[in-house]
Amino acid sequence: MKNAKRILSLALTVLMLLSLCIFTSADEKQEEEITILFTHDLHSHLLPSATEDGKGQYGGYARLMTAIKEQKEIDPDAILVDGGDFAMGSLFQTAYPTSAIELRIMGAMGYDATTFGNHEYDYLQDGLKSMLNAATASGDPLPSIVCSNYLPPKEDQEGYDKEMWDALNAYGVKDYMILERGGVYYVIFGIFGFDADACAPNSGMVLEDPIKKAKSTVEKATKECKDKYGEDPVVVCLSHSGTSDGKGEDFDLAKGVDGIDIIISGHTHTTLSTPIEVNGTYIVSAAEYGKNLGVVKLSKSSNDVTLKDYKLIPIDENVSEDSDISALVTAYKSEVEKNYLSKYGFTFDEVLLKNTYEFDLVKDVYAYQHESTLGNVFSDAYKTAAERVTGKKVDVALTAAGVIRASIPKGDVTVSDIFNAASLGVGTEGELISIYVTGKDLKNVAELDASIQPLMNSAQLFMSGIEYSFNTNRMIFNKVDYVMLQNADGTKAPIEDNKLYHVVAGMYMGQMLGNVESTSMGIISITPRDVNGNPIATEDLVDYVIKDENGVALKEWYAISTYLKDMGGEMDEKYSAPDGRKVVYSSLNPVKLLRNANIFTYIVIIVSLAFVGGIAWLVWAIKNKKFKKAKKSR
């Protein structure tokens, strides 16, 4: 009997141990390590680029592919995603509407999904639908595109375009996708931000509130995954909204929406060396132009996703090139030369001149108010090219920091270098327009530069044909204290308020000038006009693109390239230093604070004096009342 009890007790013990092992095994099975590889803001940078200091290189899809393959050898089940702005920024973008180079090469590299960024709309709706149709017709592997809150007007809304919807549907663009990889389920959805929308004013899309749409999308997609597959998914948001100084729209998105595990944060070209954790969501960014491959390793249990590791792998000259992707890039390069550059008489790697001077880095162009020799080259080139094509004198040509995408490197400067520096455009790669403004509005252009840059550093202007100075301590919208026309022979002339002046700028700049009144809340205005002084609506600026005798539009990159090529092989010495066309200073000298002050400053002064006087009177009245009361009580 005792032996039987001992045997039963032993059996029960063994069963308990077995059950413990089973439960432990089940728990371990619920712990799964996953890898997410990511990029964003690639901007058609298929080829490596020289660093701005000229000491190295960054990016290049063939090198990026090598890093991707190395990570997939470590974890074959890793997913690969992108945060948008995959197009616009190099000569390869010129094949965007016809060949969809960017999506096709991303497909060849194994990208699982991407989303739309604001620059995917630079060729407008016609360009976007053409690109999507070209990608679909190619038959090549393509990444899925997810975008939940930035889509065309629906059939019952104004602006409905059936062909646009047909192109989106044929490609398979969706709010979200459910992806299974290595037994793990992912919900991947796309979000478009408010600033991205502001940067795509001609997209024709309808923006839904990002936080509201993200909430409903996460809820719907997570429920679908559970219902269909019985699994809690890892929720990945491909956001083209951005982060800045640890905050920004993606910070608000994470804070306002429960259930997102990771946000791939594009748009602001941010580099996050460590993720930002908000509300259980990890926000990550890997810099622009394929400078890094982002690698996120997460641990997923039945009810939690936690960060295990995070790193940014530099894509530089130390990374070897993948031969297959390198061959594909070479083929695409030949296509661009044949179908695009040949029309302008240039080749991809043609050397325009040798440069021995240090030009501003892009970050310096944005950083502070100053005259930039880089901006001088661009604006001088626009003025020279426009006068050559139109045969008319141009009074002022201008560009803005926000459209300068790269510097002029030291050493050999190629056509590709210049295109990369001036690649942005509306409807097509940057085209120059010819407009007129009144003298009063021309002065306001200088004031725009002086007053808006501290609020929006991309709005800093660089001009040819004008000389001005401003005091940073003066009243906003009255900082400029001196402005004159600067003629080609070095002479200067006063600007007459009611006279029309011929101005040349890129299309982006033209649109910006037309929106100044609303941006400044009506305090200053700049109205683009035709040669007869009639106002031009912003949407009609396309009719004022400068074209040569063959009807070929004058591109910004082409204007700069021809200007440099005409220098005879060496950068002109006049660009070795600023020439004084824009003088920025700070002074509290009362004379300088009030020099050429406008009515806005005097109104503020009067109101301020009235306010101070009112306070002084009120204090005097109170004291006088107390004095009388005290005197009466005696």
Side-chain angles (χ1 to χ4, degrees), residues 88-109:
M88 315 310 275
S90 81
L91 274 164
F92 292 103
Q93 76 183 50
T94 60
Y96 174 88
T98 55
S99 299
I101 281 174
E102 293 86 357
L103 286 177
R104 289 165 60 197
I105 197 167
M106 289 173 77
M109 296 169 72

Side-chain angles (χ1 to χ4, degrees), residues 12-31:
L12 288 171
T13 301
V14 170
L15 285 171
M16 288 175 66
L17 289 171
L18 285 172
S19 67
L20 181 62
C21 289
I22 290 169
F23 285 125
T24 302
S25 176
D27 287 341
E28 287 177 355
K29 193 173 182 180
Q30 289 175 358
E31 292 284 344

Side-chain angles (χ1 to χ4, degrees), residues 87-139:
M88 315 310 275
S90 81
L91 274 164
F92 292 103
Q93 76 183 50
T94 60
Y96 174 88
T98 55
S99 299
I101 281 174
E102 293 86 357
L103 286 177
R104 289 165 60 197
I105 197 167
M106 289 173 77
M109 296 169 72
Y111 274 85
D112 293 296
T114 186
T115 191
F116 291 130
N118 50 288
H119 287 293
E120 270 70 81
Y121 302 96
D122 282 356
Y123 281 96
L124 309 180
Q125 279 200 35
D126 284 345
L128 178 62
K129 75 177 74 165
S130 177
M131 185 275 294
L132 291 172
N133 288 332
T136 304
S138 72

Side-chain angles (χ1 to χ4, degrees), residues 560-577:
I560 302 169
S561 295
T562 53
Y563 184 67
L564 296 183
K565 189 172 183 178
D566 289 345
M567 289 183 185
E570 295 283 343
M571 179 67 73
D572 195 315
E573 186 181 1
K574 70 181 179 180
Y575 296 111
S576 62

Side-chain angles (χ1 to χ4, degrees), residues 180 191 204 206 246 284 301 342 362 404 452 460 470 620:
E180 184 273 329
I191 282 292
V206 178
V284 297
S301 64
S342 62
V362 171
I404 298 176
I452 298 298
Q460 179 165 200
F470 59 87
W620 174 84

Side-chain angles (χ1 to χ4, degrees), residues 368-373 376 446-447 449-451 460-463 466-474 478-484 486 492 577-587 592 595:
Y368 64 101
Q369 292 177 296
H370 67 296
E371 180 190 339
S372 167
T373 52
N376 290 352
E447 192 59 61
D449 177 35
S451 292
Q460 179 165 200
L461 303 183
F462 306 105
M463 296 188 265
I466 194 170
E467 180 180 283
Y468 61 108
S469 67
F470 59 87
N471 183 352
T472 60
N473 289 330
R474 283 166 63 110
N478 191 203
K479 293 182 180 294
V480 175
D481 58 7
Y482 166 80
V483 57
M484 296 278 280
Q486 190 178 54
K492 298 174 181 58
D579 59 18
R581 66 181 72 180
K582 177 163 80 170
V583 177
V584 184
Y585 72 99
S586 300
S587 174
K592 292 184 177 180
R595 180 187 180 192

